[in-house]
Amino acid sequence: MLPLDAAAYANRWRPRHPGEKALLSLGLLVLTLVLPTWPGAAITGALALVLVLGPAGLAVRVLWRAVRVPLGFVLTGMLPLLVSLGGDPWLRWEPAGLPQAAQLAGRATAALLCLLLFAATTPLADLLPRLDRLGVPPAVTEVAALTYRFLFLLLESLRAVRDAQAGRLGFRTWRASYRSLTGQGAAVFVRAFDRARRLEQGLASRGYTGSLRVQVQARPLSPAFVAATCVLLAAVVAATTLLTPR
């Protein structure tokens, strides 16, 4: 299991209804996109960070492992705004792009933290069965659940093939590593098709009729949590309005 999925099952907000956490995290996300980057997105990002590390109880190392790759994409997206091509010299620093790069980084980082506030506190197993009640077609939720399950099967297959290749000194040189990676991709591809075929046969033998019925644990909505969320979102809007220069 991935560290973020393990945190979603072990955090303090796991017993809460997914709708409560969706209202909070998606509400902060909407404010991140609508309000000015400074100070609106800065406030929403800071709140999401405090909530996920404080009340939700996510470990700092788990949060860092979840955000480091997306933050790399954010930093990569900033680079074109900081340089200018053409002229003399051909590649030069562009000071006018610094404010735009800062706005991009601030808004993207805040949006990432808002999404992680939901992803790190809500397991997919709690969310997907409840989407049917919102009118999402069962085929969509079942494909999402099977895809989610297949990710772990593929990671397990990839790990097994890599360990077998490492045991045969398949990564001792660069040439051997490239050859091992090619064989690794082919082996995982074949295993994925075999797993899919076996899954289809298993569903057919169990009388699959187009929907998978699962028991969902009842989690009542907390009026106090919903009210506190609405107050918090309104406070963010008010604080941004007061702090925005006129």
Side-chain angles (χ1 to χ4, degrees), residues 7-70:
Y9 282 95
N11 68 91
R12 300 191 192 109
W13 279 3
R14 168 70 195 283
R16 293 197 172 278
H17 194 283
E20 300 174 3
K21 294 174 281 189
L23 175 64
L24 175 59
S25 59
L26 298 183
L28 289 174
L29 178 61
V30 170
L31 294 182
T32 300
L33 300 176
V34 173
L35 297 177
T37 305
W38 313 108
I43 295 176
T44 57
L47 282 176
L49 181 62
V50 171
L51 290 172
V52 76
L53 294 178
L58 190 69
V60 176
R61 66 179 184 278
V62 177
L63 179 65
W64 169 244
R65 293 181 63 179
V67 302
R68 60 185 179 182
V69 174

Tab-separated table of all heavy atoms in Angstrom, residues 7-70:
chain	number	residue	atom	x	y	z
A	7	ALA	N	-2.072	6.419	5.019
A	7	ALA	CA	-2.454	7.561	5.856
A	7	ALA	C	-3.951	7.826	5.780
A	7	ALA	O	-4.561	8.240	6.769
A	7	ALA	CB	-1.677	8.796	5.412
A	8	ALA	N	-4.569	7.600	4.621
A	8	ALA	CA	-6.009	7.824	4.486
A	8	ALA	C	-6.811	6.877	5.369
A	8	ALA	O	-7.916	7.223	5.806
A	8	ALA	CB	-6.426	7.649	3.027
A	9	TYR	N	-6.273	5.698	5.650
A	9	TYR	CA	-6.959	4.741	6.520
A	9	TYR	C	-6.640	4.938	7.996
A	9	TYR	O	-7.385	4.479	8.852
A	9	TYR	CB	-6.588	3.307	6.126
A	9	TYR	CG	-7.306	2.802	4.904
A	9	TYR	CD1	-6.720	2.888	3.650
A	9	TYR	CD2	-8.579	2.236	4.994
A	9	TYR	CE1	-7.373	2.432	2.513
A	9	TYR	CE2	-9.236	1.779	3.870
A	9	TYR	CZ	-8.623	1.872	2.636
A	9	TYR	OH	-9.277	1.429	1.514
A	10	ALA	N	-5.521	5.600	8.292
A	10	ALA	CA	-5.064	5.681	9.682
A	10	ALA	C	-5.171	7.069	10.289
A	10	ALA	O	-4.806	7.249	11.450
A	10	ALA	CB	-3.613	5.200	9.776
A	11	ASN	N	-5.673	8.068	9.556
A	11	ASN	CA	-5.708	9.416	10.100
A	11	ASN	C	-6.866	9.596	11.080
A	11	ASN	O	-7.780	8.761	11.156
A	11	ASN	CB	-5.811	10.431	8.954
A	11	ASN	CG	-7.145	10.359	8.244
A	11	ASN	OD1	-8.103	11.046	8.586
A	11	ASN	ND2	-7.235	9.494	7.232
A	12	ARG	N	-6.859	10.696	11.794
A	12	ARG	CA	-7.880	10.938	12.822
A	12	ARG	C	-9.247	11.255	12.224
A	12	ARG	O	-10.273	11.102	12.902
A	12	ARG	CB	-7.448	12.106	13.725
A	12	ARG	CG	-6.131	11.880	14.453
A	12	ARG	CD	-5.924	12.943	15.525
A	12	ARG	NE	-4.571	12.922	16.047
A	12	ARG	CZ	-3.666	13.850	15.823
A	12	ARG	NH1	-3.997	14.913	15.099
A	12	ARG	NH2	-2.445	13.763	16.321
A	13	TRP	N	-9.289	11.719	10.983
A	13	TRP	CA	-10.560	12.074	10.358
A	13	TRP	C	-11.184	10.915	9.578
A	13	TRP	O	-12.177	11.118	8.883
A	13	TRP	CB	-10.362	13.267	9.417
A	13	TRP	CG	-10.342	14.572	10.155
A	13	TRP	CD1	-10.426	14.762	11.499
A	13	TRP	CD2	-10.233	15.880	9.578
A	13	TRP	NE1	-10.371	16.084	11.810
A	13	TRP	CE2	-10.254	16.801	10.657
A	13	TRP	CE3	-10.118	16.357	8.281
A	13	TRP	CZ2	-10.165	18.171	10.449
A	13	TRP	CZ3	-10.020	17.725	8.074
A	13	TRP	CH2	-10.046	18.621	9.146
A	14	ARG	N	-10.633	9.741	9.659
A	14	ARG	CA	-11.188	8.605	8.931
A	14	ARG	C	-12.653	8.352	9.299
A	14	ARG	O	-13.474	8.060	8.417
A	14	ARG	CB	-10.348	7.352	9.220
A	14	ARG	CG	-10.992	6.050	8.743
A	14	ARG	CD	-11.003	5.941	7.238
A	14	ARG	NE	-11.896	4.895	6.765
A	14	ARG	CZ	-11.640	3.595	6.782
A	14	ARG	NH1	-10.483	3.166	7.277
A	14	ARG	NH2	-12.506	2.727	6.316
A	15	PRO	N	-13.072	8.444	10.577
A	15	PRO	CA	-14.484	8.168	10.886
A	15	PRO	C	-15.458	9.211	10.360
A	15	PRO	O	-16.675	8.965	10.397
A	15	PRO	CB	-14.500	8.136	12.434
A	15	PRO	CG	-13.084	7.909	12.851
A	15	PRO	CD	-12.268	8.599	11.811
A	16	ARG	N	-14.993	10.340	9.899
A	16	ARG	CA	-15.905	11.381	9.427
A	16	ARG	C	-16.481	11.033	8.058
A	16	ARG	O	-15.875	10.313	7.276
A	16	ARG	CB	-15.190	12.734	9.365
A	16	ARG	CG	-14.804	13.283	10.725
A	16	ARG	CD	-14.488	14.753	10.661
A	16	ARG	NE	-14.300	15.328	11.988
A	16	ARG	CZ	-15.294	15.708	12.782
A	16	ARG	NH1	-16.537	15.602	12.357
A	16	ARG	NH2	-15.054	16.206	13.980
A	17	HIS	N	-17.679	11.565	7.802
A	17	HIS	CA	-18.340	11.341	6.523
A	17	HIS	C	-17.509	11.983	5.405
A	17	HIS	O	-17.013	13.110	5.550
A	17	HIS	CB	-19.742	11.946	6.547
A	17	HIS	CG	-20.609	11.507	5.432
A	17	HIS	ND1	-20.482	12.004	4.147
A	17	HIS	CD2	-21.620	10.592	5.378
A	17	HIS	CE1	-21.377	11.436	3.366
A	17	HIS	NE2	-22.076	10.570	4.076
A	18	PRO	N	-17.342	11.297	4.264
A	18	PRO	CA	-16.571	11.896	3.167
A	18	PRO	C	-17.138	13.228	2.686
A	18	PRO	O	-16.390	14.087	2.196
A	18	PRO	CB	-16.645	10.832	2.065
A	18	PRO	CG	-16.868	9.552	2.782
A	18	PRO	CD	-17.705	9.904	3.978
A	19	GLY	N	-18.460	13.428	2.815
A	19	GLY	CA	-19.052	14.690	2.392
A	19	GLY	C	-18.552	15.867	3.209
A	19	GLY	O	-18.387	16.982	2.670
A	20	GLU	N	-18.306	15.657	4.500
A	20	GLU	CA	-17.777	16.734	5.338
A	20	GLU	C	-16.382	17.150	4.861
A	20	GLU	O	-16.089	18.343	4.713
A	20	GLU	CB	-17.713	16.266	6.793
A	20	GLU	CG	-19.038	15.856	7.386
A	20	GLU	CD	-18.892	15.273	8.775
A	20	GLU	OE1	-17.754	15.236	9.291
A	20	GLU	OE2	-19.904	14.848	9.339
A	21	LYS	N	-15.542	16.145	4.621
A	21	LYS	CA	-14.177	16.454	4.184
A	21	LYS	C	-14.158	17.031	2.770
A	21	LYS	O	-13.307	17.875	2.448
A	21	LYS	CB	-13.332	15.187	4.275
A	21	LYS	CG	-13.143	14.702	5.715
A	21	LYS	CD	-12.433	13.383	5.805
A	21	LYS	CE	-13.339	12.217	5.502
A	21	LYS	NZ	-12.718	10.904	5.780
A	22	ALA	N	-15.090	16.583	1.933
A	22	ALA	CA	-15.177	17.142	0.582
A	22	ALA	C	-15.589	18.610	0.628
A	22	ALA	O	-15.063	19.439	-0.126
A	22	ALA	CB	-16.155	16.334	-0.258
A	23	LEU	N	-16.545	18.936	1.493
A	23	LEU	CA	-16.981	20.324	1.621
A	23	LEU	C	-15.822	21.210	2.055
A	23	LEU	O	-15.634	22.320	1.523
A	23	LEU	CB	-18.130	20.415	2.623
A	23	LEU	CG	-18.631	21.823	2.956
A	23	LEU	CD1	-19.224	22.485	1.716
A	23	LEU	CD2	-19.664	21.772	4.087
A	24	LEU	N	-15.028	20.737	2.996
A	24	LEU	CA	-13.909	21.537	3.504
A	24	LEU	C	-12.803	21.684	2.458
A	24	LEU	O	-12.395	22.805	2.117
A	24	LEU	CB	-13.359	20.894	4.775
A	24	LEU	CG	-12.111	21.543	5.383
A	24	LEU	CD1	-12.373	23.000	5.738
A	24	LEU	CD2	-11.641	20.755	6.602
A	25	SER	N	-12.322	20.558	1.943
A	25	SER	CA	-11.178	20.620	1.029
A	25	SER	C	-11.552	21.232	-0.309
A	25	SER	O	-10.815	22.075	-0.849
A	25	SER	CB	-10.605	19.215	0.827
A	25	SER	OG	-11.594	18.343	0.305
A	26	LEU	N	-12.691	20.845	-0.881
A	26	LEU	CA	-13.094	21.399	-2.163
A	26	LEU	C	-13.520	22.866	-2.026
A	26	LEU	O	-13.344	23.657	-2.954
A	26	LEU	CB	-14.202	20.564	-2.778
A	26	LEU	CG	-13.825	19.110	-3.094
A	26	LEU	CD1	-14.984	18.389	-3.767
A	26	LEU	CD2	-12.574	19.044	-3.959
A	27	GLY	N	-14.080	23.223	-0.870
A	27	GLY	CA	-14.392	24.632	-0.634
A	27	GLY	C	-13.136	25.484	-0.610
A	27	GLY	O	-13.079	26.570	-1.206
A	28	LEU	N	-12.094	24.994	0.084
A	28	LEU	CA	-10.816	25.712	0.084
A	28	LEU	C	-10.205	25.751	-1.314
A	28	LEU	O	-9.594	26.753	-1.704
A	28	LEU	CB	-9.852	25.036	1.063
A	28	LEU	CG	-10.159	25.193	2.561
A	28	LEU	CD1	-9.203	24.363	3.391
A	28	LEU	CD2	-10.095	26.661	2.974
A	29	LEU	N	-10.387	24.668	-2.073
A	29	LEU	CA	-9.849	24.639	-3.434
A	29	LEU	C	-10.529	25.678	-4.320
A	29	LEU	O	-9.860	26.377	-5.099
A	29	LEU	CB	-10.022	23.242	-4.025
A	29	LEU	CG	-9.560	23.054	-5.467
A	29	LEU	CD1	-8.071	23.340	-5.596
A	29	LEU	CD2	-9.887	21.649	-5.955
A	30	VAL	N	-11.840	25.794	-4.213
A	30	VAL	CA	-12.564	26.785	-5.007
A	30	VAL	C	-12.101	28.195	-4.643
A	30	VAL	O	-11.879	29.039	-5.524
A	30	VAL	CB	-14.079	26.625	-4.807
A	30	VAL	CG1	-14.833	27.793	-5.424
A	30	VAL	CG2	-14.560	25.321	-5.427
A	31	LEU	N	-11.927	28.454	-3.355
A	31	LEU	CA	-11.442	29.774	-2.938
A	31	LEU	C	-10.024	30.017	-3.438
A	31	LEU	O	-9.671	31.151	-3.783
A	31	LEU	CB	-11.491	29.890	-1.415
A	31	LEU	CG	-12.887	29.866	-0.772
A	31	LEU	CD1	-12.778	30.050	0.729
A	31	LEU	CD2	-13.782	30.929	-1.387
A	32	THR	N	-9.209	28.962	-3.490
A	32	THR	CA	-7.854	29.104	-4.018
A	32	THR	C	-7.869	29.555	-5.470
A	32	THR	O	-7.041	30.369	-5.895
A	32	THR	CB	-7.100	27.773	-3.890
A	32	THR	OG1	-7.042	27.393	-2.521
A	32	THR	CG2	-5.686	27.883	-4.436
A	33	LEU	N	-8.823	29.037	-6.237
A	33	LEU	CA	-8.889	29.368	-7.660
A	33	LEU	C	-9.565	30.715	-7.918
A	33	LEU	O	-9.277	31.368	-8.923
A	33	LEU	CB	-9.634	28.264	-8.411
A	33	LEU	CG	-9.016	26.859	-8.335
A	33	LEU	CD1	-9.897	25.850	-9.045
A	33	LEU	CD2	-7.612	26.850	-8.908
A	34	VAL	N	-10.471	31.120	-7.018
A	34	VAL	CA	-11.266	32.328	-7.253
A	34	VAL	C	-10.604	33.565	-6.658
A	34	VAL	O	-10.550	34.623	-7.294
A	34	VAL	CB	-12.681	32.142	-6.686
A	34	VAL	CG1	-13.468	33.450	-6.755
A	34	VAL	CG2	-13.417	31.045	-7.451
A	35	LEU	N	-10.079	33.440	-5.452
A	35	LEU	CA	-9.510	34.592	-4.762
A	35	LEU	C	-8.137	34.949	-5.325
A	35	LEU	O	-7.492	34.123	-5.981
A	35	LEU	CB	-9.394	34.293	-3.264
A	35	LEU	CG	-10.713	34.053	-2.517
A	35	LEU	CD1	-10.427	33.687	-1.071
A	35	LEU	CD2	-11.622	35.259	-2.610
A	36	PRO	N	-7.661	36.161	-5.087
A	36	PRO	CA	-6.309	36.524	-5.527
A	36	PRO	C	-5.261	35.627	-4.875
A	36	PRO	O	-5.443	35.132	-3.757
A	36	PRO	CB	-6.163	37.979	-5.055
A	36	PRO	CG	-7.561	38.476	-4.881
A	36	PRO	CD	-8.380	37.296	-4.469
A	37	THR	N	-4.172	35.436	-5.608
A	37	THR	CA	-3.117	34.549	-5.095
A	37	THR	C	-2.576	35.043	-3.760
A	37	THR	O	-2.398	34.277	-2.813
A	37	THR	CB	-1.981	34.444	-6.118
A	37	THR	OG1	-2.512	34.018	-7.370
A	37	THR	CG2	-0.923	33.460	-5.646
A	38	TRP	N	-2.306	36.360	-3.692
A	38	TRP	CA	-1.832	36.970	-2.453
A	38	TRP	C	-2.853	38.008	-2.001
A	38	TRP	O	-3.091	38.955	-2.737
A	38	TRP	CB	-0.467	37.636	-2.662
A	38	TRP	CG	0.508	36.771	-3.387
A	38	TRP	CD1	0.943	36.927	-4.669
A	38	TRP	CD2	1.186	35.603	-2.895
A	38	TRP	NE1	1.836	35.945	-5.002
A	38	TRP	CE2	2.000	35.125	-3.940
A	38	TRP	CE3	1.169	34.925	-1.674
A	38	TRP	CZ2	2.796	33.991	-3.815
A	38	TRP	CZ3	1.958	33.792	-1.545
A	38	TRP	CH2	2.759	33.342	-2.596
A	39	PRO	N	-3.521	37.785	-0.862
A	39	PRO	CA	-3.220	36.736	0.115
A	39	PRO	C	-4.175	35.539	0.085
A	39	PRO	O	-4.077	34.660	0.941
A	39	PRO	CB	-3.388	37.473	1.440
A	39	PRO	CG	-4.544	38.399	1.148
A	39	PRO	CD	-4.420	38.801	-0.302
A	40	GLY	N	-5.130	35.482	-0.865
A	40	GLY	CA	-6.160	34.446	-0.829
A	40	GLY	C	-5.615	33.036	-0.870
A	40	GLY	O	-5.878	32.211	0.016
A	41	ALA	N	-4.837	32.700	-1.920
A	41	ALA	CA	-4.299	31.350	-2.042
A	41	ALA	C	-3.320	31.038	-0.915
A	41	ALA	O	-3.232	29.887	-0.464
A	41	ALA	CB	-3.620	31.187	-3.399
A	42	ALA	N	-2.595	32.046	-0.453
A	42	ALA	CA	-1.661	31.819	0.659
A	42	ALA	C	-2.419	31.419	1.926
A	42	ALA	O	-1.988	30.529	2.676
A	42	ALA	CB	-0.829	33.073	0.909
A	43	ILE	N	-3.568	32.037	2.162
A	43	ILE	CA	-4.361	31.707	3.352
A	43	ILE	C	-4.940	30.306	3.231
A	43	ILE	O	-4.882	29.501	4.173
A	43	ILE	CB	-5.480	32.749	3.552
A	43	ILE	CG1	-4.879	34.119	3.862
A	43	ILE	CG2	-6.424	32.313	4.665
A	43	ILE	CD1	-5.908	35.220	3.966
A	44	THR	N	-5.531	29.971	2.083
A	44	THR	CA	-6.126	28.640	1.923
A	44	THR	C	-5.064	27.549	1.991
A	44	THR	O	-5.288	26.486	2.590
A	44	THR	CB	-6.876	28.555	0.593
A	44	THR	OG1	-5.975	28.874	-0.487
A	44	THR	CG2	-8.039	29.525	0.567
A	45	GLY	N	-3.905	27.776	1.376
A	45	GLY	CA	-2.849	26.783	1.446
A	45	GLY	C	-2.344	26.574	2.863
A	45	GLY	O	-2.113	25.443	3.295
A	46	ALA	N	-2.184	27.680	3.611
A	46	ALA	CA	-1.736	27.560	4.999
A	46	ALA	C	-2.772	26.834	5.857
A	46	ALA	O	-2.413	25.997	6.702
A	46	ALA	CB	-1.452	28.952	5.566
A	47	LEU	N	-4.048	27.126	5.642
A	47	LEU	CA	-5.098	26.435	6.396
A	47	LEU	C	-5.116	24.944	6.080
A	47	LEU	O	-5.245	24.107	6.986
A	47	LEU	CB	-6.457	27.054	6.074
A	47	LEU	CG	-6.791	28.379	6.766
A	47	LEU	CD1	-8.122	28.913	6.257
A	47	LEU	CD2	-6.840	28.189	8.281
A	48	ALA	N	-4.998	24.594	4.792
A	48	ALA	CA	-4.979	23.183	4.428
A	48	ALA	C	-3.795	22.465	5.055
A	48	ALA	O	-3.919	21.333	5.536
A	48	ALA	CB	-4.953	23.040	2.908
A	49	LEU	N	-2.643	23.117	5.077
A	49	LEU	CA	-1.457	22.512	5.679
A	49	LEU	C	-1.633	22.312	7.176
A	49	LEU	O	-1.299	21.245	7.716
A	49	LEU	CB	-0.244	23.403	5.398
A	49	LEU	CG	1.098	22.914	5.940
A	49	LEU	CD1	1.481	21.585	5.311
A	49	LEU	CD2	2.187	23.958	5.690
A	50	VAL	N	-2.187	23.321	7.857
A	50	VAL	CA	-2.404	23.200	9.306
A	50	VAL	C	-3.420	22.105	9.615
A	50	VAL	O	-3.236	21.305	10.546
A	50	VAL	CB	-2.867	24.558	9.879
A	50	VAL	CG1	-3.320	24.407	11.319
A	50	VAL	CG2	-1.735	25.581	9.793
A	51	LEU	N	-4.486	22.022	8.827
A	51	LEU	CA	-5.525	21.029	9.092
A	51	LEU	C	-5.031	19.607	8.844
A	51	LEU	O	-5.355	18.691	9.604
A	51	LEU	CB	-6.743	21.316	8.214
A	51	LEU	CG	-7.552	22.567	8.568
A	51	LEU	CD1	-8.604	22.837	7.510
A	51	LEU	CD2	-8.200	22.422	9.934
A	52	VAL	N	-4.251	19.412	7.781
A	52	VAL	CA	-3.825	18.062	7.464
A	52	VAL	C	-2.747	17.571	8.433
A	52	VAL	O	-2.663	16.372	8.727
A	52	VAL	CB	-3.330	17.979	6.001
A	52	VAL	CG1	-1.956	18.587	5.842
A	52	VAL	CG2	-3.330	16.536	5.507
A	53	LEU	N	-1.926	18.482	8.950
A	53	LEU	CA	-0.898	18.085	9.911
A	53	LEU	C	-1.401	18.099	11.342
A	53	LEU	O	-0.878	17.354	12.183
A	53	LEU	CB	0.311	19.013	9.797
A	53	LEU	CG	1.111	18.952	8.496
A	53	LEU	CD1	2.251	19.960	8.525
A	53	LEU	CD2	1.645	17.547	8.248
A	54	GLY	N	-2.402	18.944	11.637
A	54	GLY	CA	-2.906	19.066	12.999
A	54	GLY	C	-4.078	18.156	13.289
A	54	GLY	O	-3.898	17.012	13.734
A	55	PRO	N	-5.309	18.609	13.044
A	55	PRO	CA	-6.475	17.776	13.359
A	55	PRO	C	-6.502	16.426	12.651
A	55	PRO	O	-6.885	15.415	13.233
A	55	PRO	CB	-7.659	18.656	12.921
A	55	PRO	CG	-7.144	20.048	12.975
A	55	PRO	CD	-5.702	19.963	12.596
A	56	ALA	N	-6.090	16.380	11.380
A	56	ALA	CA	-6.106	15.106	10.653
A	56	ALA	C	-4.978	14.188	11.100
A	56	ALA	O	-5.102	12.955	10.978
A	56	ALA	CB	-6.012	15.354	9.149
A	57	GLY	N	-3.882	14.735	11.571
A	57	GLY	CA	-2.806	13.929	12.136
A	57	GLY	C	-1.905	13.252	11.122
A	57	GLY	O	-1.327	12.198	11.420
A	58	LEU	N	-1.739	13.835	9.940
A	58	LEU	CA	-0.839	13.246	8.947
A	58	LEU	C	0.610	13.555	9.302
A	58	LEU	O	0.939	14.669	9.712
A	58	LEU	CB	-1.158	13.807	7.560
A	58	LEU	CG	-0.466	13.125	6.379
A	58	LEU	CD1	-1.009	11.725	6.185
A	58	LEU	CD2	-0.656	13.947	5.107
A	59	ALA	N	1.469	12.561	9.174
A	59	ALA	CA	2.886	12.753	9.490
A	59	ALA	C	3.541	13.645	8.440
A	59	ALA	O	3.182	13.612	7.259
A	59	ALA	CB	3.601	11.406	9.551
A	60	VAL	N	4.519	14.421	8.887
A	60	VAL	CA	5.201	15.358	7.987
A	60	VAL	C	5.913	14.603	6.868
A	60	VAL	O	5.892	15.013	5.705
A	60	VAL	CB	6.199	16.228	8.769
A	60	VAL	CG1	6.972	17.140	7.826
A	60	VAL	CG2	5.470	17.060	9.813
A	61	ARG	N	6.540	13.482	7.186
A	61	ARG	CA	7.283	12.738	6.162
A	61	ARG	C	6.347	12.160	5.103
A	61	ARG	O	6.702	12.099	3.921
A	61	ARG	CB	8.099	11.625	6.800
A	61	ARG	CG	7.301	10.511	7.441
A	61	ARG	CD	8.190	9.441	8.031
A	61	ARG	NE	7.431	8.330	8.571
A	61	ARG	CZ	6.874	8.316	9.766
A	61	ARG	NH1	7.008	9.366	10.566
A	61	ARG	NH2	6.189	7.260	10.186
A	62	VAL	N	5.149	11.752	5.516
A	62	VAL	CA	4.179	11.238	4.546
A	62	VAL	C	3.699	12.358	3.633
A	62	VAL	O	3.569	12.185	2.415
A	62	VAL	CB	2.992	10.574	5.274
A	62	VAL	CG1	1.930	10.108	4.276
A	62	VAL	CG2	3.475	9.392	6.101
A	63	LEU	N	3.444	13.522	4.221
A	63	LEU	CA	3.031	14.669	3.411
A	63	LEU	C	4.125	15.067	2.426
A	63	LEU	O	3.833	15.351	1.256
A	63	LEU	CB	2.683	15.842	4.326
A	63	LEU	CG	2.253	17.130	3.623
A	63	LEU	CD1	0.947	16.925	2.865
A	63	LEU	CD2	2.103	18.266	4.630
A	64	TRP	N	5.362	15.059	2.872
A	64	TRP	CA	6.446	15.444	1.982
A	64	TRP	C	6.595	14.459	0.826
A	64	TRP	O	6.812	14.856	-0.317
A	64	TRP	CB	7.749	15.536	2.762
A	64	TRP	CG	8.969	15.673	1.901
A	64	TRP	CD1	10.002	14.804	1.781
A	64	TRP	CD2	9.266	16.760	1.013
A	64	TRP	NE1	10.928	15.256	0.881
A	64	TRP	CE2	10.503	16.462	0.393
A	64	TRP	CE3	8.615	17.947	0.690
A	64	TRP	CZ2	11.087	17.314	-0.538
A	64	TRP	CZ3	9.202	18.794	-0.249
A	64	TRP	CH2	10.420	18.469	-0.836
A	65	ARG	N	6.460	13.169	1.105
A	65	ARG	CA	6.558	12.166	0.041
A	65	ARG	C	5.418	12.305	-0.953
A	65	ARG	O	5.568	11.954	-2.128
A	65	ARG	CB	6.561	10.760	0.645
A	65	ARG	CG	7.798	10.435	1.458
A	65	ARG	CD	7.769	9.028	2.000
A	65	ARG	NE	7.764	8.042	0.928
A	65	ARG	CZ	7.756	6.720	1.146
A	65	ARG	NH1	7.739	6.252	2.393
A	65	ARG	NH2	7.752	5.883	0.135
A	66	ALA	N	4.278	12.827	-0.495
A	66	ALA	CA	3.135	12.985	-1.401
A	66	ALA	C	3.247	14.240	-2.255
A	66	ALA	O	2.741	14.260	-3.387
A	66	ALA	CB	1.839	13.021	-0.588
A	67	VAL	N	3.916	15.281	-1.743
A	67	VAL	CA	3.926	16.557	-2.472
A	67	VAL	C	5.213	16.800	-3.243
A	67	VAL	O	5.247	17.692	-4.099
A	67	VAL	CB	3.703	17.746	-1.501
A	67	VAL	CG1	2.397	17.594	-0.758
A	67	VAL	CG2	4.869	17.893	-0.527
A	68	ARG	N	6.252	16.034	-3.006
A	68	ARG	CA	7.544	16.376	-3.606
A	68	ARG	C	7.534	16.233	-5.125
A	68	ARG	O	8.130	17.068	-5.827
A	68	ARG	CB	8.654	15.528	-2.993
A	68	ARG	CG	8.495	14.021	-3.171
A	68	ARG	CD	9.581	13.279	-2.435
A	68	ARG	NE	9.428	11.828	-2.569
A	68	ARG	CZ	10.233	10.950	-1.985
A	68	ARG	NH1	11.235	11.381	-1.225
A	68	ARG	NH2	10.031	9.648	-2.153
A	69	VAL	N	6.866	15.214	-5.646
A	69	VAL	CA	6.815	15.063	-7.106
A	69	VAL	C	5.939	16.143	-7.752
A	69	VAL	O	6.367	16.796	-8.711
A	69	VAL	CB	6.335	13.653	-7.487
A	69	VAL	CG1	6.139	13.538	-8.995
A	69	VAL	CG2	7.343	12.606	-7.012
A	70	PRO	N	4.709	16.394	-7.260
A	70	PRO	CA	3.941	17.513	-7.835
A	70	PRO	C	4.634	18.863	-7.701
A	70	PRO	O	4.541	19.697	-8.609
A	70	PRO	CB	2.625	17.483	-7.043
A	70	PRO	CG	2.492	16.076	-6.573
A	70	PRO	CD	3.884	15.631	-6.294
